[in-house]
Amino acid sequence: MSGTPGSFARSVLADRHPALIRQVADAFPYPPEQRRALDALVEETAAPASADATSGPPIGPLSTHTHTHTNTGPDTRTRADDVRRWAEWGAEAYVGRMSWYEVPFLWAESYFYRRLLDAVGYFGPGPWQGVDPFAPFKRAELTGPEVADELAALDALDDLAPDDRDRAVLQGALWGNRADLGFRISANGSTANASSTKAPSAEASTANASSTNAPTSTPSDDLLADDSAALWRHLAAAPPGTAAVTVIADNAGRELIPDLILIDHLLHTGRAATAVLHVKPYPYFVSDATTSDVVDCLRRIGQAPGRRARETGARLWSALGTGRLAVRAHPFACAPLPYADMPADLRAELGRATLTVLKGDLNYRRLVGDRLWPPTTAFSLPTGYFPSPLAALRTLKSDVIVGLDAGTVAALDANSAANGGAWRTSGTYAVVQVRTV
């Protein structure tokens, strides 16, 4: 639950969310109406004075607009659909009845971002409709020197053997998950200082892949589980020209770029005949990717000076134009629910995939039900309902984890106890976990 004393969930609500609201308020010249709404959200979500208390102001409702001119705001049918969905997703049970610290963490965290968008007028009507409150953070990252260095390093892939190139591209997508603006707010109190969570560059990934100690089951102390060989075997087993890969994205910017590079690699090498990239239908969790972020990343890749980056950008742009690569933004992407509760249309679509790749911490939490399973629980147990073979590429930033061996867990727990760390939430460790049956 969100208010469990001393939990990661409570720290997100009590520490990360107020810091985020301050940053959003400082990033735009919002008028008084928006600033009052942001201040009210801070007060409503403030932690109880006592560290073990869960009482507080009741969770407030979504705003309701009755403006009907679709040229300046959403029509009433769209608004009604959104309110109806959130009622079905738990608003009827929680809003006005409980505090933020008395409800499931996944629900509270998701609803917070929906309320934040309401506060800044994202859904309109009005001049701030559609203005992404997280865009300044995403753009600053996308235009930063780290992205330029990582794109330039792509040319080093040409020097690798095919298997090592596969490994380098997959690990680039995996470790790119460290590039999470929301996590940096929690870790540093600011997005400006991100050195402690800097993602390894593509050059570092290629160097690791070409090492004589190439990844096997546990290629490094930081990679706690590695089923990547099963991923490649599964794609190779598909009849030629039939493999359809779905990637459910997590963050934009420095993480989305290696995700797009992985998609291009799968298409270009023939491992996938088609690919679908699922993103969020609206801004979410600070840096979660939307369709506009995909376009921004494609332009950034295509404008890089390196030959391989330019070719990758051109191929991806063409793939979107021909339909080999499609972008989806299903409403359930922003639902405060586990994937076990996905609607029938999404289940049917994902069921047609040869492989679904889920990126990031939030998708992992939703995949396994956001429950504190024993960490040695087999990955296949909480994911058996998923309608297609799947692979989870995830850097650990929350408590939920499955699929580890007992020795690894014991060593991590002992190290954390000795050094005062928290291995489950530090953003240091990662997993590649695959279920193909």
Side-chain angles (χ1 to χ4, degrees), residues 391-411:
L393 309 183
R394 180 236 185 165
T395 300
L396 278 63
K397 302 168 195 167
S398 64
D399 292 317
V400 178
I401 183 66
V402 297
L404 303 185
D405 65 71
T408 297
V409 175

Side-chain angles (χ1 to χ4, degrees), residues 220-282:
S220 75
D221 290 340
D222 292 347
L223 188 51
L224 304 181
D226 184 9
D227 298 336
S228 55
L231 181 154
W232 297 115
R233 285 195 304 269
H234 179 71
L235 290 177
T242 66
V245 173
T246 293
V247 176
I248 301 181
D250 189 27
N251 299 307
R254 287 182 65 200
E255 178 174 355
L256 186 57
I257 283 178
D259 292 347
L260 289 166
I261 291 168
L262 173 61
I263 289 172
D264 171 72
H265 183 72
L266 296 175
L267 292 172
H268 187 54
T269 60
R271 263 54 171 271
T274 59
V276 176
L277 178 63
H278 278 255
V279 296
K280 301 297 191 296
Y282 50 77

Side-chain angles (χ1 to χ4, degrees), residues 41-366:
L41 188 59
V42 170
E43 294 179 7
E44 181 186 317
T45 58
S50 173
D52 60 356
T54 58
S55 60
I59 298 171
L62 297 177
S63 64
T64 56
H65 298 298
T66 57
H67 201 287
T68 58
H69 296 292
T70 57
N71 62 329
T72 57
D75 62 29
T76 54
R77 184 174 57 184
T78 300
R79 169 62 56 179
D81 286 345
D82 181 66
V83 173
R84 174 187 52 78
R85 277 195 298 265
W86 275 97
E88 295 172 351
W89 291 344
E92 284 187 343
Y94 302 139
V95 170
R97 302 181 183 185
M98 299 182 181
S99 83
W100 289 87
Y101 295 83
E102 295 173 320
V103 299
F105 176 45
L106 179 61
W107 195 92
E109 197 175 16
S110 300
Y111 190 66
F112 167 81
Y113 282 97
R114 181 60 183 79
R115 288 285 307 284
L116 178 60
L117 292 178
D118 252 354
V120 299
Y122 178 85
F123 293 101
W128 294 94
Q129 180 192 344
V131 177
D132 184 348
F134 314 128
F137 315 136
K138 297 177 185 177
R139 290 169 184 158
E141 182 184 68
L142 196 58
T143 58
E146 295 89 352
V147 169
D149 291 344
E150 290 161 3
L151 287 172
L154 285 176
D155 285 341
L157 290 172
D158 292 336
D159 299 328
L160 298 180
D163 287 349
D164 289 336
R165 195 175 302 148
D166 291 344
R167 189 176 297 115
V169 171
L170 185 64
Q171 288 201 6
L174 169 67
W175 290 113
N177 186 228
R178 280 179 171 170
D180 181 337
L181 295 170
F183 178 73
R184 293 181 209 171
I185 290 172
S186 177
N188 304 295
S190 168
T191 58
N193 176 14
S195 59
S196 66
T197 56
K198 182 178 179 181
S201 67
E203 186 175 11
S205 295
T206 57
N208 290 337
S210 59
S211 165
T212 56
N213 296 319
T216 54
S217 59
T218 53
S220 75
D221 290 340
D222 292 347
L223 188 51
L224 304 181
D226 184 9
D227 298 336
S228 55
L231 181 154
W232 297 115
R233 285 195 304 269
H234 179 71
L235 290 177
T242 66
V245 173
T246 293
V247 176
I248 301 181
D250 189 27
N251 299 307
R254 287 182 65 200
E255 178 174 355
L256 186 57
I257 283 178
D259 292 347
L260 289 166
I261 291 168
L262 173 61
I263 289 172
D264 171 72
H265 183 72
L266 296 175
L267 292 172
H268 187 54
T269 60
R271 263 54 171 271
T274 59
V276 176
L277 178 63
H278 278 255
V279 296
K280 301 297 191 296
Y282 50 77
Y284 195 62
F285 277 65
V286 187
S287 56
D288 281 20
T290 64
T291 302
S292 63
D293 295 319
V294 174
V295 176
D296 287 345
C297 285
L298 287 177
R299 290 196 173 112
R300 182 68 184 89
I301 295 170
Q303 293 167 358
R307 176 188 59 80
R308 179 173 275 274
R310 291 197 305 273
E311 290 177 352
T312 297
R315 286 195 298 262
L316 287 166
W317 196 276
S318 175
L320 279 168
T322 61
R324 287 192 73 202
L325 171 60
V327 177
R328 300 276 191 271
H330 195 284
F332 190 76
C334 292
L337 302 172
Y339 280 113
D341 294 337
M342 72 179 80
D345 64 327
L346 181 59
R347 179 177 293 275
E349 179 182 341
L350 296 179
R352 293 190 289 270
T354 306
L355 180 74
T356 298
V357 179
L358 294 97
K359 283 295 309 291
D361 198 77
L362 177 60
N363 281 324
Y364 191 95
R365 288 166 52 195
R366 297 182 71 190

